[in-house]
Amino acid sequence: MKKAVCIISGGMDSAVSAALTKAEGFGIIAVHFNYGQRTEGKEKECFRLLAEDLEASDRYEIDLPFFTQIGASALTDPSIEVPTGGIEPGVPVTYVPFRNGIFLSIAAAIAEKHGAEAIVIGVVEEDSSGYPDCRESYIRAMERAIDLGTRAETKIAIKMPLVHLKKSEIVSTALELGVDLGHTWSCYREEEEACGVCDSCRLRLEGFRKAGVEDPIPYRRVES
């Protein structure tokens, strides 16, 4: 069976990306990164549930503690507040410097080890928080760099099946595939009840609203 290394954060986008990959006939190698993010425990819990749902053949939980040493992001530096006033233009303070580049580099090492044909990442360019490392052009550049930095016989494609979808389309796709969205978490701030007001919660809730279905995870409050 052809194999794909799926980077699974525990969020909705990576869960749907991995489910689409499984539906294409790939065996799933599930990879999760703990990098000192505020909701690390909840994301890890969701990753484990999703890996079970996907029947992943191999599972990696990799600790990257240096992200907190670098800081410069509201997700990894507790002195920087996560914004709750609504999505604004530009790169937000929740951007973690070069996070996806580092994730993809590690995923490439795992893919080469297992002889996998693909790395799958759930980046979304058109309906996201404005992160520069979620752009298709950037991911394609990383694909080229990985090709140059691996053995000649190693051929790894980076798949980003959601990159041009809206959140509502991602919700609809999840429902079509039977993805348990109760096993996903998107909130940047809280682990028991999603805050409902950070950028990630707002995007997720708007996606569910436009898709015409109710989000199964609990929320502390929801802004209209």
Side-chain angles (χ1 to χ4, degrees):
M1 179 185 287
K2 56 186 180 179
K3 294 178 283 188
V5 173
C6 294
I7 299 172
I8 301 175
S9 66
M12 180 170 65
D13 299 342
S14 62
V16 175
S17 295
L20 282 167
T21 304
K22 183 179 180 181
E24 291 178 5
F26 283 87
I28 304 299
I29 300 166
V31 179
H32 179 73
F33 298 103
N34 304 306
Y35 56 97
Q37 64 272 42
R38 290 173 184 259
T39 56
E40 181 178 294
K42 185 65 176 182
E43 290 180 26
K44 186 190 300 184
E45 174 189 323
C46 288
F47 164 74
R48 291 173 179 174
L49 291 170
L50 292 167
E52 284 293 323
D53 294 343
L54 292 160
E55 300 178 301
S57 61
D58 297 273
R59 303 164 197 190
Y60 291 83
E61 296 179 16
I62 296 177
D63 296 326
L64 303 176
F66 59 82
F67 274 106
T68 57
Q69 184 177 359
I70 295 168
S73 169
L75 297 193
T76 57
D77 185 343
S79 71
I80 303 173
E81 291 294 325
V82 174
T84 59
I87 299 167
E88 298 180 354
V91 179
V93 296
T94 51
Y95 165 64
V96 181
F98 208 64
R99 177 180 61 180
N100 283 344
I102 293 166
F103 287 1
L104 287 167
S105 297
I106 295 170
I110 295 170
E112 191 164 36
K113 168 191 171 182
H114 286 277
E117 298 179 22
I119 297 168
V120 181
I121 186 167
V123 293
V124 179
E125 182 173 343
E126 294 193 6
D127 191 10
S128 67
S129 297
Y131 297 157
D133 58 351
C134 288
R135 294 176 293 181
E136 182 178 17
S137 57
Y138 167 71
I139 302 298
R140 288 291 169 235
M142 282 297 296
E143 183 179 61
R144 176 62 177 151
I146 289 167
D147 185 55
L148 290 170
T150 51
R151 292 188 294 260
E153 63 270 23
T154 298
K155 301 298 177 186
I156 304 169
I158 302 181
K159 297 166 66 67
M160 41 183 160
L162 309 184
V163 70
H164 295 303
L165 296 188
K166 300 295 186 183
K167 287 293 184 186
S168 58
E169 295 172 318
I170 295 169
V171 173
S172 297
T173 301
L175 296 175
E176 290 169 9
L177 292 169
V179 177
D180 188 342
L181 294 175
H183 289 173
T184 68
W185 196 255
S186 301
C187 184
Y188 288 153
R189 302 171 68 219
E190 306 291 342
E191 294 186 299
E192 296 299 324
E193 294 179 310
C195 74
V197 291
C198 69
D199 287 0
S200 187
C201 279
R202 289 175 187 271
L203 286 165
R204 178 176 173 132
L205 284 166
E206 182 68 2
F208 275 90
R209 185 187 69 78
K210 288 183 176 178
V213 292
E214 186 176 347
D215 191 343
I217 71 170
Y219 284 87
R220 178 167 298 177
R221 64 190 176 109
V222 177
E223 293 289 307
S224 59

